[in-house]
Amino acid sequence: MSGINKKEEIKKVEMLKKATDSRHKKNRAAKMLVCQDWFEKKSIYKTAMEAAGYYKTWLESKSYVYELITIRNWILLYAKEKGVRW
């Protein structure tokens, strides 16, 4: 009986992962667009908030709507990962 429960549990976990990936697909795509473009043009912006202001409008033209703080956090985390200092 425990073998059946184990299979059901594995199937449930796989379904939850698929649902989560589907839900966050658009967020991940927007984040990568911003981070890649910012990394190429990082010398233009004095602060992450200034960059976020630009990218908020830039994303809206591509039908993505995110808050300024969210975009700023994406940039700051990406900068940290890449070892970029302001």
Side-chain angles (χ1 to χ4, degrees):
M1 183 128 167
S2 67
I4 294 171
N5 290 340
K6 190 98 166 156
K7 286 182 183 179
E8 289 177 8
E9 188 65 31
I10 290 170
K11 187 172 182 172
K12 184 187 280 187
V13 168
E14 289 173 353
M15 289 176 63
L16 285 171
K17 184 181 181 318
K18 185 177 178 180
T20 300
D21 287 345
S22 154
R23 186 174 339 135
H24 295 292
K25 185 177 182 178
K26 188 175 179 184
N27 290 356
R28 290 181 184 130
K31 180 180 178 180
M32 286 313 301
L33 282 172
V34 167
C35 291
Q36 289 173 348
D37 193 69
W38 170 81
F39 193 69
E40 293 173 6
K41 301 174 183 174
K42 64 185 174 282
S43 62
I44 296 172
Y45 308 105
K46 293 180 183 177
T47 65
M49 194 57 107
E50 182 183 330
Y54 167 77
Y55 285 110
K56 181 173 176 35
T57 306
W58 186 73
L59 282 174
E60 287 171 353
S61 71
K62 297 180 181 300
S63 301
Y64 293 101
V65 180
Y66 292 95
E67 293 296 322
L68 201 59
I69 299 302
T70 301
I71 298 168
R72 185 204 64 182
N73 289 343
W74 291 346
I75 292 168
L76 288 173
L77 286 172
Y78 194 74
K80 185 176 180 180
E81 288 172 12
K82 296 295 182 180
V84 175
R85 294 183 185 235
W86 294 99

